[in-house]
Amino acid sequence: MKAAQAEGWVDKLIAGARESNPGNPALFAFAQEWNLATATTQPHSDPGTGNSTHILHLSDLHITTSEQATLWSNQLAQDLSYELQIPNLDALILSGDIANYSTAEEYQAAQQFLDNLGKEFTLDPEKIVLVPGNHDLNWELAKRGYQLLDLEDYDGKPKEGHYIEESQNVIRVRDEAKYQQRFAHFSQFYQAIKGQPYPLDYDQQAIIEHFPEQNLLILGLNSAWELDHHFKTRASIKSGALSKALAKIRRNRDYDKCMKIAVWHHPLNSDGSDRITDKGFIEQLAVAGFRLFLHGHIHKAETSLFRYDLSPSGRKLDQICAGTL
């Protein structure tokens, strides 16, 4: 855990982002605009309500055992209570790679981790936001989603990206229904926490979470929807899922004045090839009034700013990346 603290995982608390970046003017303006807690020993209060909004953002837990769940949840609870003096959490966001191999046993441990936190910070299911990462799809189930065929027996031309070439004459072709099942264990974990399964239909994998008391909206997206054991560098956001979600947000007047946050797993910028390369969706989020986006994957805490236009009052999104425990 000492290494985790050095990594800066406490900065996953959005309210604490300014503490690790005291000279960042974008985060300063963001904190002022939305009256977020500043992660000092005395949380910032809104003069109008006397309330603070506490959002905890975690990523890349890679939980494998119940022992880890107990140790990490206890250490986290101590730091929130004693170091930051956070009495409650308004939202907990896990931006992917919750498990390591996406097994049922790992998700049981992850559920224990959340249960432990929930006992101390009254984390009701509606306060928890979950999105999958590349470690939240099961590779064994992904392999079962492919059917081995002689190329001469395939009717038509195989669709690019939907098959794996084993040899010059043999391919593995995707069975779409079976292929979606690679997220089955994550979906079952999601149901255990949220009361309903995570949708396996990619066009439904943009989930709106509304927090009316905090005037907050969080949109959870799946950046791992095209990934499997063979195709490991196709991180992206499904355009159909995003379009449906933005239409729902636009048509619901209750969302008009909400602070809007989007969350997914993979970064837009990194040295690796597993980043999101098609960034057109971020412009759609800016136009739709989103103010912040959260992600993980790179195992270090950092911030940046995406500007949609360069005018003084131009639309922009602050990015906060969580580290890892």
Side-chain angles (χ1 to χ4, degrees), residues 31-32 35-40 42-47 50-54:
Q32 284 191 319
N35 291 316
L36 291 181
T38 56
T40 61
Q42 294 296 326
H44 172 77
S45 295
D46 181 344
N51 296 326
S52 297
T53 298
H54 298 121

Side-chain angles (χ1 to χ4, degrees), residues 18 23-31 291 304-305 307 316 318:
R18 279 192 58 231
N24 188 315
L27 285 175
F28 177 75
F30 178 77
R291 186 66 182 82
S304 66
L305 179 67
R307 299 187 70 92
K316 55 187 179 294
D318 287 293

